[in-house]
Amino acid sequence: MPNKYRGEIGAELGGRQRTLVLTLGALAELESAFGAGDLMALAERFGSGRVSSRDLIRIIGAGLRGAGEAVSDDDVAVMTVEGGAAGFVRIAADLIGATFDESGAP
């Protein structure tokens, strides 16, 4: 079960319930992938509200790897989610919210 106080979320991806978390390593991976110089730049990019399909794959892939899953971005790209593209957007938004929410609130 995901621990919200560690920034973990749960989501059904590819027909399985999974845990995702953006650890420091996962955040460093995203900084590199997005060319962001630091966490503030990464947060600003996420906060823009504009994401591509490739962005969603990278964010969700990093979250899965942060939680210990051995998946590649190519693996994530072929996963299905209830709600299609909107479902992927919701998962990425929940993950980013859990990572950057300082209150620890659900």
Side-chain angles (χ1 to χ4, degrees):
M1 173 170 260
N3 183 332
K4 66 179 180 179
Y5 296 106
R6 289 192 300 226
E8 296 175 350
I9 68 160
E12 187 173 314
L13 287 151
R16 286 187 34 221
Q17 189 63 31
R18 302 170 191 257
T19 298
L20 297 88
V21 63
L22 292 178
T23 60
L24 282 178
L27 289 167
E29 176 186 332
L30 291 175
E31 285 174 347
S32 177
F34 293 130
D38 56 32
L39 281 176
M40 185 59 80
L42 192 62
E44 287 171 0
R45 178 180 169 94
F46 293 158
S48 74
R50 297 178 52 103
V51 295
S52 69
S53 297
R54 172 56 55 194
D55 294 345
L56 294 173
I57 291 166
R58 287 176 173 161
I59 293 165
I60 292 169
L64 288 167
R65 288 185 291 277
E69 288 213 33
V71 297
S72 68
D73 285 349
D74 289 338
D75 295 330
V76 175
V78 297
M79 289 180 180
T80 57
V81 173
E82 186 176 323
F88 279 102
V89 171
R90 180 190 50 75
I91 292 167
D94 289 350
L95 182 57
I96 291 165
T99 301
F100 290 101
D101 180 17
E102 295 179 17
S103 71

